[in-house]
Amino acid sequence: MDVLTERAHELAAAGMLPAFVYDLGALDVHVAAVREALGEVELYYAVKANPDPQLLRVLARHVDGWEVASGGELAHVRGLFPDMPLALGGPGKTDAELTAPVHRLHVESPGELERLLASGARADVLLRVNLEVPIEGASLAMGGGATPFGMDPGGVAECAAMLRGQERVRLRGVHAHLASGLHAPQLLELAQAVLEYARELGVAEINLGGGMAVSYDDPGELFDWVAYGEGLAKLRRRGERLRIEPGRSLTVYCGRYATRVIDVKRVHGRLFAIVAGGTHHLRTPATKGHDQPVVPGAAGEPVTIAGQLCTPKDLLAREVPITLRRGDVVEFAMAGAYAWNISHHDFLMHPHPAFSYVRGGRAGSC
Ligand SMILES: *Cc1c(COP(=O)(O)O)cnc(C)c1O
C-alpha cells in the first residue's frame, strides 16, 4: 500500500471521502528531475493546470516563474510569491489585465496591442504566434490553422510595425503554444519551426509553450524530458533565451481522487459501481472522453464506475477489471491537473471533496 492509498483509507475511516489526495514529495522529485533535464531552458509552470497553493509552494523551489492566464491567477500567484516572475497570456484580456505589471505580457492580437499602446502603460511583450505548421497526434490544437489563439505571421508583422518608434512597450520575443499532448520528437520539430521564425523576425527570446504529453491509458509512460532537454540544447543558438511553460505534465501525477462505492448493480447485463462524488469533482474523463486510470485492486468482472450525477456523462471509468463492493475505496490516478479546478462543482449541490496532502517521495508513487 503506498502513502496515497494509506491516506485514502484513513480518510475513509474518518468519513472524509471523496477527497483529492496529493503527494507533495513525489511532485518535488518529479519537478526536480524535469528542471535538471532542461539545462539552460527556463521553466515556468502554467498555473491553470492546478493553482493549489500547496502544489505551487513545492513547484516554486524549481521553476523560474509562472504563466498565468487571467487577472485572478495573477492575483493568486502574486499573493503567494510576490517576487517571482510572471508571464500573463490568454486571449480576451481586459484592459486591467493588459496593463497589469508583469515580467512578460503575451500579446495575442493587434487589437490587444493597440489597446496596450493607447493605455500608456509600460510592458515587455512576447507576440504569440500561431504558425501554419502540420500538427499531428495532438490532443488539442491551439495553432497550425485558424483558432482564436495568437496571431498568424501577418498579425505578428502588424504588431512589430506598431511597436517601432516608441519605447514604452518593448518587443522581447515570441511565444508559441501550438498544441498539447505531443511527445518530445514532435515538440522538438515544432520548436525548430518556431525558432526559425523568431530568427527571421530578429528576436532572441522564445517561449515554446507547454503541451507535453501524458498518457491516461498508461500512467507509467512519462514524457521524455531528457530527450527534450537535449534536443532544445542542440536547437538553441548562442544568445537565445528559451522558455517553456508546461502545466499538466508537471502536476498530473501527484494527485489522486479517492472515493467510496455507494452502490453496485447490474443493469441490462452491465455491472456498475456508483461512487460518492463524480465528474463534478473530476471532470477530466468527461472532457477528454477517456477512462480515468484506477489504482489497481483485486481482479474481477469489468465494472463501469459512475458518479452521483443524474447524467449519463457522469462516468469516471468504463469496464475496469476489478472487484468493487459497497463501501470499498476507489482511487483514480492522474488527478493532479485539470481535475478539481476545471469541474462544475455545484451541479446537483453535492458536498465538495476534502483535500489532503502527504509527503511521499518516490517520483512514481502516484
Ligand atoms: C494551457 C497552456 C499551457 C499549459 O499547457 P499543458 O498542456 O498543461 O502543458 C501553456 N501555455 C499556454 C498558453 C496555455 O494556454
Side-chain angles (χ1 to χ4, degrees), residues 230-246:
E230 285 172 0
L232 288 183
K234 280 202 199 105
L235 290 176
R236 178 173 166 268
R237 290 199 190 146
R238 202 136 51 101
E240 283 176 346
R241 185 171 172 191
L242 305 190
R243 183 179 304 135
I244 60 167
E245 47 181 23

Side-chain angles (χ1 to χ4, degrees), residues 46 48-49 67 69 90 106 108 128 142 175 177 179-181 209-212 245-249 338:
K48 78 169 188 284
E67 190 262 349
H106 298 164
E108 298 249 354
R128 179 168 181 181
M142 275 63 67
H175 169 248
H177 173 68
S180 80
M212 292 70 189
E245 47 181 23
R248 191 187 307 268
S249 55
Y338 302 104

